[in-house]
Amino acid sequence: MTRPQLLIDTDPGVDDALAILMAHAHADVAGLSIAAGNVGLEHTVHNARVLVELLGATTPVFPGCATPLVRLPEEDAAFVHGRDGFGDVGFPPPGHPAADEAAALALLRLTRERPGELTLVALAPLTNVALALRLDPTLPQRVRRLVIMGGAVTGHGNTSRVPAEFNIGFDPEAAHVVFEAFEEFDLVDWELTLRHAFDEDAFDGWLAAGDARAAFYGSICQVARQTNRERGRRGIIAADALAMAVAIDPAVVVRSERRAVAIELDGRLTRGATVVDWAGRLGRSANANVVLELDQERFAAMVRRALGAG
């Protein structure tokens, strides 16, 4: 079977790391465009370079936007991922260099060089993708598929603004630009990731059975695991890995619904909320394929392989 061809926009981040390990195990990766989000851009670029070096890959790393398009962020996710985004393990500077090309420009160039070939996997706040769209609105015509990890489709978010999910809430204007520009995309939301968390004991077994990738991931995920336990979240929550599974193997999706989805920009309590027109009342074209259920065993097998455990 032909390996998927991926272009990944990401803000590593512990869960991004697992997704990137999956991508390199199951697909060919044209590049990593890097945004600020989970932690600041200096850390996310460093972490992407650490990952590529760990994998012995040559994947280019393109630094992107250090801030959202309009407003400065109200919060990051360092309390989950560690101050450096990788559990504060303290990895030395990697030898793998960052590219000189800006992320938005790389997104445009690579899709022009390979029109219709690349699946764009958006695991971060959508700042880089939105900037690319403002530079060239024809970008969606060249992307094979767009898979977005973001949103909370029934309002059970994970930020200080109750309905908002982190990636969308970090840069709502960017999300608005992307959701309006793409006529069709797959949406993997925060609530889905909670429903598809892994059993902790089983996951520890995968880490014990795996190779250097598993040892690496086991070392960086401890802060996130402890934070989730303190917040009453059960299991191993692998948000970006879930989106990556959808990007690599669309057949992993068991149930989804096509709906019109938009982003709230102005609400005092709801800014960054993902608004889904479940009843079709607004008369807008459905732009999002909202993923509602996955084949858990198929997903687990993809993660095990990425960790060298199966």
Side-chain angles (χ1 to χ4, degrees):
M1 185 174 67
T2 303
R3 283 167 65 90
Q5 306 295 304
L6 306 180
L7 181 54
I8 304 170
D9 191 69
T10 177
D11 60 334
V14 174
D15 55 339
D16 301 75
L18 184 56
I20 292 167
L21 294 178
M22 289 172 64
H24 284 83
H26 296 275
D28 296 327
V29 182
L32 302 175
S33 62
I34 310 302
N38 286 322
V39 289
L41 186 68
E42 180 181 355
H43 289 307
T44 57
V45 171
H46 175 272
N47 294 345
R49 294 168 56 215
V50 167
L51 277 166
V52 174
E53 185 166 276
L54 168 75
L55 291 163
T58 59
T59 310
V61 173
F62 303 104
C65 295
T67 63
L69 289 183
V70 179
R71 302 187 191 180
L72 291 178
E74 297 177 6
E75 56 189 337
D76 63 15
F79 70 97
V80 175
H81 298 269
R83 292 181 301 276
D84 67 358
F86 269 5
D88 297 322
V89 172
F91 295 101
H96 186 78
D100 292 333
E101 188 175 17
L105 298 179
L107 292 173
L108 296 177
R109 176 180 60 80
L110 289 167
T111 57
R112 287 168 182 158
E113 292 174 354
R114 303 174 61 181
E117 294 183 20
L118 297 172
T119 293
L120 177 57
V121 192
L123 307 177
L126 290 163
T127 316
N128 291 331
V129 183
L131 183 56
L133 283 163
R134 286 300 192 234
L135 293 169
D136 182 358
T138 68
L139 172 64
Q141 300 170 22
R142 301 191 301 275
V143 172
R144 182 180 180 87
R145 291 174 63 212
L146 171 62
V147 179
I148 296 174
M149 191 284 124
V153 298
T154 62
H156 293 75
N158 61 344
T159 71
S160 58
R161 292 186 302 279
V162 175
E165 175 274 333
F166 178 80
N167 281 348
I168 304 299
F170 189 89
D171 193 347
E173 282 77 15
H176 168 74
V177 169
V178 174
F179 279 46
E180 291 291 310
F182 278 83
E183 295 182 357
E184 181 176 354
F185 55 88
D186 293 313
L187 185 65
V188 177
D189 86 309
W190 169 248
E191 295 159 12
L192 180 72
T193 69
L194 296 178
R195 296 195 296 273
H196 285 278
F198 294 119
D199 177 81
E200 292 212 40
D201 291 338
F203 193 83
D204 284 335
W206 304 346
L207 293 177
D211 57 21
R213 294 168 292 179
F216 168 84
Y217 193 75
S219 72
I220 69 172
C221 71
Q222 296 306 313
V223 172
R225 293 180 68 172
Q226 181 60 34
T227 301
N228 284 330
R229 291 189 196 106
E230 291 171 356
R231 291 179 168 236
R233 297 171 181 162
R234 301 182 62 182
I236 302 296
I237 300 167
D240 291 333
L242 202 68
M244 187 59 69
V246 173
I248 293 168
D249 181 12
V252 76
V253 177
V254 172
R255 186 168 63 95
S256 63
E257 294 186 17
R258 291 268 299 168
R259 292 289 185 270
V261 181
I263 306 301
E264 173 59 49
L265 300 179
D266 301 316
R268 182 172 63 87
L269 298 177
T270 58
R271 175 173 157 78
T274 313
V275 181
V276 183
D277 186 9
W278 291 109
R281 295 171 182 166
L282 300 180
R284 298 179 49 154
S285 297
N287 56 343
N289 183 46
V290 181
V291 180
L292 297 172
E293 185 180 353
L294 292 188
D295 183 328
Q296 186 74 2
E297 287 305 312
R298 197 165 184 153
F299 175 34
M302 296 170 75
V303 171
R304 289 196 300 269
R305 180 177 169 185
L307 296 171

